[in-house]
Amino acid sequence: MTAATAPPAPAGSPARGTAPLAGAGTLLRFAARRDRVRLPVWTAALVLGTVTTAGSYRDLYPTAEARRSTAETMSSPAALAMSGPERFLADYGYGAMLGHQMLGFTAVLVALMSVLTVTRHTRAEEESGRAELVRSAAVGRHAPLAAALALAVLTNAVLACVMALGLGGLGLPGAGWGGSLLYGAAHAAVGLVFTAVAAVTVQLTAHARGASGAALAVLGLAYVLRAAGDVGGGALSWLSPVGWAQRTYVYVDDRWWPLLLALGAAAAGTTLAVRLSTRRDLGAGLRPARSGRPHATAALTHPLGFALRLHRGLLTGFAVGLAAMGAAYGAVLGDAEEMLADVAALEDALAELGGADLAESFAAMVMIVLAVVAAVYVVLAALRPRAEESGRRAEPLLATALSRTRWAGSHLAVALAGGTLLLLLAGLGFGAAGAAATGDGSLVPALTGAALAYAPALWVTAGVAAALYGWLPQATALAWVMPVLAFVVGYLGPLLQLPQWLSRLSPFGHVPRLPAEPVDWTPLVVLTLLAAALIASGLAGFRRRDVVMA
């Protein structure tokens, strides 16, 4: 008697007869457990930031005259490009103000959260090899993608509900429950679109960073189209998901139908992603890998050159973004006096920073925002050795004559120099655009120097990340406390009248607020010495511990 036997399934393929979505529920629960801290923190930060800002409007703009004056100053092209369409200015109540000033900004953050969630649970899993192990069991071909999409959709839905409840519960005049529900739904709609965008980009490239970068490039294009459309006739804004959310005119007209465009785009993108996923092998991308040089360049044979090669994409993206961000703030510097006039609470907050006029105080406040964005890059770059180590790419290098200090130190050197470069570009963009707007050429060196004053605080941020990596590699996520704390106490602190001692908890709180304050070299020197001590401690800890694989 003979019996026919089926050949074993190739590695990475589900067993024959397995339904395409088999195991998706289990993978969804597993992904939710992995992100049980990450996603609640994202949600809480977005909701608290929105609700706190909305609640502060009563104090910032207590009278109709103050709101009317703000609406007049926000009608300039530069202000519209930074905020939103001019329709909001027709009746600039508290709700319209929130939709105009905050919706576009927070929608971008929701899109970022969605992109990172999808890439983390799809392409990053394939790149690490864990997806192949999972797919060798009774798991359907589309189950990992379905689980990642479901997690992102559920997160956006929860965010929309909690944000609506928070805003509706404020009882803010002009911000009723109907508009609050639409406000939350608009954020979720943008998140769903970029969930689908990320689902497509993870099919195109074999690397998580490339997939995230491509999706964020689409996000950047969407923001640019929105800004250009709001300044111009408005047609370009209809090409942007961010523009669709703002065209709901929440708290003004409360139009729900633009969100149908977002739902349609999300459905189309998801369908495309599923079809593309059937055309590629597990672990591969549809876009073929670019052929490398037959021989490595001289720079790649040294740790610093190799580290710079690994970081160049991230550094380039942040450099372009911060230069553009600085230029955007500089474009409205000439209108700062008029924009901030009659806003008593904001004037009081800026007065605490010093400065001969409101423009200088406004510039000092903007500097902390630019420094916080640069700090985000510094944390990402300083923690890159952790990703290399857990991805098992560090061990082959450390098995050679390359010392641990040189390997980890090369990444830290790129983080330190890269962060300083970002401050330089942001300051130059801010100063150049400010000089063009005001006709004062002295702003270029003044604002460039003001931005560079935050370099020691960035170095301390890198030092904290290095110390955590060296001694407590499982706790490196705590390094993100540094940019978050800097934003809360440095930017929101003066607006919310937080105690002064809180600002001293952050290294950014010890930096002189140039150009509103005179230069004080003592805290800058102390911060530099503290950064050196933290980095030395982190490298010493890394030399003494085992290489961690997970």
Side-chain angles (χ1 to χ4, degrees), residues 201-502:
T201 59
V202 298
Q203 314 304 326
L204 303 180
T205 177
H207 302 286
R209 287 178 179 268
S212 298
L216 295 181
V218 176
L219 176 58
L221 177 61
Y223 190 83
V224 170
L225 289 172
R226 193 282 308 162
D230 290 343
V231 173
L236 290 177
S237 296
W238 288 104
L239 301 177
S240 167
V242 181
W244 301 338
Q246 290 187 325
R247 258 54 189 182
T248 60
Y249 297 129
V250 60
Y251 297 122
V252 177
D253 297 330
D254 284 346
R255 302 193 304 183
W256 285 82
W257 66 263
L259 299 188
L260 296 177
L261 298 174
L263 295 179
T270 302
T271 302
L272 176 61
V274 172
R275 291 187 176 182
L276 292 178
S277 68
T278 62
R279 298 174 179 268
R280 66 176 181 87
D281 293 330
L282 183 67
L286 290 173
R287 187 180 66 182
R290 186 175 60 180
S291 300
R293 296 171 179 265
H295 303 286
T297 61
L300 291 180
T301 62
H302 298 281
L304 184 60
F306 184 63
L308 183 59
R309 173 64 179 82
L310 294 177
H311 288 262
R312 70 178 185 182
L314 184 67
L315 180 58
T316 300
F318 269 88
V320 173
L322 264 174
M325 189 175 179
Y329 278 118
V332 300
L333 190 58
D335 299 327
E337 293 276 1
E338 186 179 356
M339 289 174 60
L340 304 175
D342 301 324
V343 185
L346 191 54
E347 286 183 337
D348 292 341
L350 292 175
E352 294 182 5
L353 301 178
D357 52 41
L358 279 179
E360 284 190 354
S361 300
F362 174 73
M365 181 171 282
V366 168
M367 285 301 171
I368 187 64
V369 178
L370 299 176
V372 167
V373 177
V376 171
Y377 163 79
V378 167
V379 173
L380 288 171
L383 295 183
R384 180 61 188 263
R386 172 64 177 153
E388 295 295 304
E389 185 179 355
S390 60
R392 300 178 181 267
R393 295 182 293 272
E395 191 175 23
L397 292 175
L398 297 177
T400 66
L402 177 63
S403 69
R404 291 190 176 198
T405 300
R406 291 185 65 199
W407 177 74
S410 63
H411 289 280
L412 287 174
V414 174
L416 297 173
T420 307
L421 176 63
L422 293 180
L423 289 177
L424 174 64
L425 294 175
L428 282 173
F430 193 14
T438 62
D440 184 3
S442 65
L443 287 176
V444 176
L447 295 182
T448 302
L452 289 174
Y454 282 93
L458 285 188
W459 300 340
V460 172
T461 301
V464 170
L468 288 170
Y469 172 67
W471 295 100
L472 299 169
Q474 302 295 341
T476 51
L478 292 176
W480 289 105
V481 171
M482 301 298 289
V484 172
L485 182 63
F487 180 76
V488 171
V489 302
Y491 182 72
L492 297 180
L495 295 176
L496 302 178
Q497 301 296 314
L498 297 179
Q500 184 65 28
W501 62 266
L502 280 177

Side-chain angles (χ1 to χ4, degrees), residues 46-58:
L46 289 166
V47 172
L48 288 176
T50 300
V51 173
T52 301
T53 301
S56 69
Y57 284 158
R58 295 181 191 231

Side-chain angles (χ1 to χ4, degrees), residues 175-187:
W177 281 103
S180 298
L181 289 172
L182 178 57
Y183 191 88
H187 285 80

Side-chain angles (χ1 to χ4, degrees), residues 12-237:
S13 300
R16 275 187 188 176
T18 302
L21 296 180
T26 302
L27 291 178
L28 173 59
R29 293 192 296 272
F30 179 59
R33 174 172 172 75
R34 288 182 61 197
D35 283 355
R36 65 187 182 278
V37 174
R38 185 188 303 262
L39 292 180
V41 168
W42 266 102
T43 303
L46 289 166
V47 172
L48 288 176
T50 300
V51 173
T52 301
T53 301
S56 69
Y57 284 158
R58 295 181 191 231
D59 296 326
L60 292 174
Y61 310 97
T63 65
E65 180 59 32
R67 296 190 292 274
R68 189 179 306 110
S69 175
T70 303
E72 292 175 358
T73 59
M74 293 297 288
S75 62
S76 67
L80 292 175
M82 290 183 61
S83 53
E86 196 171 8
R87 176 71 183 92
F88 283 103
L89 304 179
D91 183 13
Y92 214 46
Y94 294 127
M97 191 176 295
L98 182 65
H100 185 234
Q101 298 180 11
M102 287 292 293
L103 178 56
F105 172 71
T106 50
V108 168
L109 296 180
V110 172
L112 175 62
M113 176 190 70
S114 302
V115 166
L116 296 179
T117 299
V118 173
T119 56
R120 170 177 165 82
H121 294 290
T122 52
R123 176 53 65 184
E125 292 296 289
E126 294 187 37
E127 191 174 0
S128 67
R130 291 186 293 265
E132 186 173 11
L133 178 63
V134 171
R135 287 276 299 276
S136 64
V139 174
R141 180 181 185 90
H142 300 309
L145 178 60
L149 293 175
L151 180 63
V153 169
L154 289 174
T155 302
N156 280 286
V158 170
L159 172 66
C161 294
V162 176
M163 187 174 289
L165 289 173
L167 291 175
L170 279 179
L172 197 66
W177 281 103
S180 298
L181 289 172
L182 178 57
Y183 191 88
H187 285 80
V190 175
L192 293 181
V193 171
F194 284 95
T195 294
V197 169
V200 172
T201 59
V202 298
Q203 314 304 326
L204 303 180
T205 177
H207 302 286
R209 287 178 179 268
S212 298
L216 295 181
V218 176
L219 176 58
L221 177 61
Y223 190 83
V224 170
L225 289 172
R226 193 282 308 162
D230 290 343
V231 173
L236 290 177
S237 296

